[in-house]
Amino acid sequence: MPSVIPVRLSIKARELPNTEGIFRSPDPYAIIKIQHGEDDVEELGSTEVIKNTMDPTWVTTFTFNFQLGKASSILIRIFDKESNGEDEPMGGTLFSVGKILGSRGNSLAKKMKGGGVVYAHIEKEVGEGKLMLQLRGLKLKNVEDSGFFSKSDPFFEIAKQSTEAEDVWVLAYRSEHVKNNLNPLWNSKKLELSVICSGDVQAPLKLSVFDHEGSGDHIPIGTLTTTVSELILAKRFGGGGDKGDDAGKLDLVDDDGGFAGSIAVLQAQLVGLPKKDKPPNPEPKPEPEEEVEDEPEPEPEPEPEEEPEIVLEEMAPPRPTFVDYISGGCQISLYFGIDYTGSNGDPREPGTLHYLHPDGSHNDYEKAIFGVGSILADYDLDKQFPVWGFGAKFGGVDGIVQHAFQVGVDAEADGIDDVLEKYRSFFGVAGFILSRPTDITKIMKIAANRAKRMQEEKAAEGNMTYSILLIITDGAVSDIDATKAMFDEIEDYPISVVIVGVGDEDFNDMQFLELCGNATFVELNACGGSERKLAEETLEKIPDQLVTYFLDKQGINPPSPIASAEDEIEFDEEEIDLAGWDNDSSSSSSSSSSSSSSSSSSSSSSSSD
């Protein structure tokens, strides 16, 4: 089964173009779609509308399933909400899911053609259940300065603490504002634990109260730090905000450290948590020596229909995933091994496996290089890829068959396009002869040693790396026993070996690879010659192999996710033409107040300000 991991997308924008003129700012919202391949596009939903701002941080998030072998893109289209229903397009852009996950902090920024920058962040969906929460403000500090009789229009935000930096807070929820009231009663909301605290009820939260301003420049009233468990306890032991009862109230502090009012917890209940397993039956007691009359057994109590009792303790963490290691900074290194044996045929003749098509269409080797390599390249930070060949002679017919040689003048290719260029140009090397046999053991040894050395160097720096060797061949290996022995030798190395079989050869002899823990073998023909399908099949096992190496073999848990400040987020300079998407998106713009999806879901944790 493919390794499918639920992840959550959040977005924000900065310096959007002003579509409203001089005296006010736009009311932006975004429509989010996910694209798999060319034609498979699904709408994840839309964000909330934020009034009067060119720098929106939307709190609505979107959940979808991540699969390493599936090339997916996020399409974002931003609109200015208009009262007449004819919402004004402000721009759009497209992100590769792999590029976001492969960037530092799982965050990436892109400039829109019409102006403005969009930031996208992806994190693993963590935790189950929801928090039913209702809060009331008590005697809030009045920061309204528009008149003696005017009062603040309070709303509150909840932010969770970054796992990487204690002074970095990530916005998770924004309430509605209550007009002209220093004792506001905010609406009850059901908040996903995965969103507000990443499933950890003991994780620090920052609750901030603001006075809503139509200009978007909201005025701080006060803040406090708390946790989900503290909110529940405040409700359980507090007075619910009744006058004269200070138990359970949480005090706000203003920017000067002064008292800014209190927060009373009217409702705080965890719902939707998985029921805990029942404890094992106790050991039976020994039979009494004397017979006694059995007492009637009490009637069993019916199972409660309400949610199970909540124990506010740390729950055992789930098994880490590929996304956890990537989020913690684990880097992927990709290597290529190309079969140059004579069984591929004369590359100058059409119909042979190495034939280079004049129209630029890919042969089977190029399909494997591009289809698999373009996905994994997103997780390789420097995009420098060693390319090795095997099964050829140099210096004419009297030369010695080489089973591991560098393809190209440079030790590494600069990006996937350069891998393809080195592969194509190598046939022009003087005295180069395609020969035999098919021996992949030397390339495996070179790649495994390199992977081990790189991981040792990264570990010394407090980091980690994992390598993937992609071997493309037209036939079964000549020495199965030697190949098995090599897989046994590198079993505990930080590397996966992916072998793609091309051509019409009988690959039954390669089935032994199914017993090798860090190997994957896929026939291109079994994928219908599709680059997309090939990528899905070849990369299916990689996430579990990576986790098995670090967690089970080395006992290394993933580091805490890396957090990046806004000015540290990497920019993706690739230009994407969204002209074909405009008409499709504009038809959805009138329904911006709701979020919809089929297999994916969006979480709206806000109300319009």
Side-chain angles (χ1 to χ4, degrees):
M1 289 292 293
S3 180
V4 177
I5 303 169
V7 295
R8 184 177 293 275
L9 168 74
S10 57
I11 64 170
K12 62 184 177 182
R14 296 293 181 263
E15 300 178 356
L16 292 176
N18 192 349
T19 55
E20 294 293 335
I22 300 176
F23 298 105
R24 70 180 303 269
S25 296
D27 304 331
Y29 70 92
I31 294 176
I32 314 298
K33 297 186 178 185
I34 187 166
Q35 180 177 15
H36 307 294
E38 296 181 1
D39 303 319
D40 183 8
V41 180
E42 174 191 2
E43 183 168 324
L44 297 181
S46 60
T47 68
E48 76 278 13
V49 177
I50 300 183
K51 292 185 177 296
N52 209 31
T53 181
M54 292 182 287
D55 302 301
T57 297
W58 292 289
V59 297
T60 305
T61 58
F62 306 89
T63 302
F64 61 94
N65 289 329
F66 164 76
Q67 185 178 335
L68 176 62
K70 184 172 288 188
S72 301
S73 299
I74 299 296
L75 299 94
I76 300 173
R77 189 73 170 156
I78 301 176
F79 296 86
D80 177 14
K81 184 68 176 176
E82 299 290 349
S83 58
N84 61 7
E86 298 179 1
D87 300 345
E88 181 77 17
M90 302 180 70
T93 190
L94 181 146
F95 289 90
S96 160
V97 172
K99 282 187 177 181
I100 299 175
L101 287 172
S103 300
R104 176 180 171 83
N106 303 149
S107 300
L108 196 61
K110 292 193 77 168
K111 295 179 180 179
M112 294 192 299
K113 188 175 181 180
V117 178
V118 180
Y119 295 84
H121 173 75
I122 293 177
E123 61 185 21
K124 191 182 79 167
E125 179 89 336
V126 179
E128 299 181 60
K130 299 180 181 181
L131 173 68
M132 291 291 297
L133 182 68
Q134 185 174 29
L135 302 180
R136 169 169 26 189
L138 298 173
K139 300 179 181 179
L140 298 182
K141 179 180 178 180
N142 190 9
V143 296
E144 183 63 54
D145 57 2
S146 59
F148 180 77
F149 296 103
S150 297
K151 298 177 182 178
S152 298
D153 306 326
F155 70 93
F156 71 90
E157 294 180 345
I158 295 177
K160 60 183 178 181
Q161 190 177 58
S162 165
T163 55
E164 179 71 11
E166 293 184 356
D167 58 344
V168 176
W169 297 88
V170 181
L171 181 62
Y173 172 75
R174 182 186 296 120
S175 77
E176 80 284 0
H177 69 274
V178 179
K179 292 185 177 181
N180 203 38
N181 196 329
L182 299 182
N183 297 281
L185 175 62
W186 291 291
N187 291 335
S188 174
K189 287 291 182 179
K190 188 181 291 187
L191 310 179
E192 294 188 42
L193 293 178
S194 59
V195 176
I196 62 169
C197 64
S198 299
D200 182 1
V201 296
Q202 309 292 350
L205 304 177
K206 182 166 75 171
L207 192 152
S208 305
V209 181
F210 298 87
D211 175 20
H212 177 270
E213 297 293 330
S215 65
D217 296 326
H218 309 305
I219 302 173
I221 293 177
T223 63
L224 61 86
T225 56
T226 184
T227 65
V228 169
S229 61
E230 186 177 20
L231 291 171
I232 293 173
L233 292 174
K235 163 56 184 167
R236 184 175 296 176
F237 300 112
D242 295 335
K243 293 181 179 180
D245 186 354
D246 292 330
K249 297 175 186 176
L250 306 175
D251 289 342
L252 295 163
V253 177
D254 62 20
D255 290 342
D256 297 323
F259 177 72
S262 300
I263 295 294
V265 183
L266 275 63
Q267 183 181 29
Q269 178 186 4
L270 296 181
V271 297
L273 291 178
K275 292 185 178 181
K276 294 192 173 185
D277 294 334
K278 294 181 180 180
N281 293 326
E283 293 292 329
K285 296 181 180 180
E287 293 291 333
E289 295 182 1
E290 298 182 4
E291 293 187 5
V292 295
E293 184 177 347
D294 292 336
E295 295 183 5
E297 295 185 2
E299 290 291 329
E301 296 183 3
E303 292 288 333
E305 296 182 1
E306 59 187 33
E307 295 295 327
E309 183 180 354
I310 303 305
V311 179
L312 298 178
E313 298 176 352
E314 278 194 47
M315 297 182 237
R319 181 176 174 83
T321 66
F322 174 83
V323 171
D324 290 310
Y325 284 96
I326 296 299
S327 300
C330 180
Q331 299 177 21
I332 299 295
S333 296
L334 176 60
Y335 317 140
F336 292 88
I338 300 174
D339 183 346
Y340 285 100
T341 58
S343 56
N344 286 280
D346 189 335
R348 295 166 292 189
E349 297 180 2
T352 57
L353 293 173
H354 281 307
Y355 179 70
L356 303 178
H357 299 280
D359 63 0
S361 59
H362 288 169
N363 64 32
D364 285 358
Y365 280 85
E366 292 168 316
K367 286 180 179 178
I369 292 171
F370 185 81
V372 179
S374 59
I375 290 180
L376 291 177
D378 287 340
Y379 303 90
D380 190 311
L381 290 183
D382 63 7
K383 308 292 188 291
Q384 301 296 303
F385 311 117
V387 185
W388 301 302
F390 60 92
K393 293 181 179 180
F394 294 87
V397 294
D398 296 327
I400 299 174
V401 178
Q402 302 294 324
H403 299 298
F405 53 85
Q406 177 180 301
V407 177
V409 177
D410 301 318
E412 296 176 324
D414 185 14
I416 297 301
D417 288 342
D418 195 30
V419 174
L420 290 168
E421 178 59 31
K422 290 183 184 301
Y423 159 71
R424 294 164 181 159
S425 62
F426 205 68
F427 294 106
V429 174
F432 181 60
I433 295 179
L434 279 64
S435 186
R436 58 185 175 86
T438 303
D439 182 355
I440 63 174
T441 59
K442 289 182 172 55
I443 280 183
M444 288 173 58
K445 182 68 172 178
I446 292 171
N449 286 337
R450 180 187 176 105
K452 181 180 180 182
R453 183 180 71 253
M454 290 179 62
Q455 168 56 17
E456 290 173 347
E457 292 173 355
K458 290 293 183 181
E461 301 170 356
N463 299 316
M464 57 179 62
T465 186
Y466 190 80
S467 299
I468 299 170
L469 171 61
L470 174 61
I471 296 176
I472 313 164
T473 180
D474 79 318
V477 295
S478 301
D479 191 335
I480 292 178
D481 290 337
T483 306
K484 286 181 179 179
M486 182 54 65
F487 271 106
D488 290 340
E489 182 178 337
I490 68 172
E491 182 180 4
D492 293 329
Y493 284 53
I495 189 170
S496 292
V497 180
V498 176
I499 302 177
V500 175
V502 297
D504 298 325
E505 186 70 25
D506 183 358
F507 288 101
N508 284 332
D509 288 345
M510 300 290 275
Q511 299 307 313
F512 75 92
L513 293 171
E514 294 296 328
L515 302 177
C516 302
N518 54 353
T520 301
F521 175 73
V522 177
E523 291 185 56
L524 178 60
N525 284 347
C527 301
S530 166
E531 294 178 6
R532 177 182 171 187
K533 182 66 174 176
L534 176 67
E536 291 183 20
E537 295 290 333
T538 55
L539 302 182
E540 179 180 314
K541 297 180 181 178
I542 298 297
D544 289 339
Q545 290 172 350
L546 181 148
V547 174
T548 296
Y549 170 76
F550 284 114
L551 187 66
D552 300 332
K553 296 181 178 180
Q554 302 297 320
I556 301 175
N557 281 296
S560 297
I562 295 174
S564 294
E566 191 169 298
D567 58 358
E568 298 175 335
I569 295 176
E570 175 185 348
F571 271 80
D572 183 2
E573 302 296 342
E574 181 183 8
E575 294 187 357
I576 303 294
D577 184 6
L578 292 181
W581 192 53
D582 289 354
N583 293 334
D584 181 45
S585 297
S586 60
S587 65
S588 304
S589 62
S590 61
S591 59
S592 64
S593 61
S594 64
S595 299
S596 64
S597 68
S598 54
S599 62
S600 305
S601 64
S602 61
S603 171
S604 179
S605 301
S606 69
S607 298
S608 298
D609 288 346

